[in-house]
Amino acid sequence: MSGQGSGGNVIAAICNIFFPGLGQLVQGRIGAAIGFFLFWVISGALTWVLVGWVLLPIVYIWAIIDAAKFRPYYERHG
């Protein structure tokens, strides 16, 4: 995948709109994908305590921004 702002990152960010972590999975970042998905599930479970209503939008936005700004290691350390 190309660097930040590339078409691949845009597709990954769009995938995160459907399920947080899906865009990271598209980018091949399995650990980040599992982490975002679990955080999303836990936030959803916490909605009955009202904390989840604050956490869910944060998880969505964080996952989308993370996928959009991702740069592979080889691009950062040339």
Side-chain angles (χ1 to χ4, degrees):
M1 221 167 260
S2 297
Q4 182 176 348
S6 70
N9 284 2
V10 171
I11 291 171
I14 291 170
C15 288
N16 275 327
I17 292 172
F18 299 105
F19 293 104
L22 184 60
Q24 283 77 9
L25 189 64
V26 167
Q27 291 173 329
R29 300 171 15 192
I30 306 298
I34 291 170
F36 277 113
F37 183 74
L38 286 177
F39 193 33
W40 179 60
V41 168
I42 291 168
S43 298
L46 289 174
T47 55
W48 65 276
V49 188
L50 298 179
V51 176
W53 293 109
V54 174
L55 292 177
L56 277 173
I58 292 171
V59 172
Y60 268 107
I61 293 168
W62 183 17
I64 291 168
I65 291 172
D66 179 69
K69 295 185 76 170
F70 174 68
R71 287 180 44 205
Y73 180 80
Y74 62 85
E75 286 186 8
R76 288 178 280 162
H77 296 40

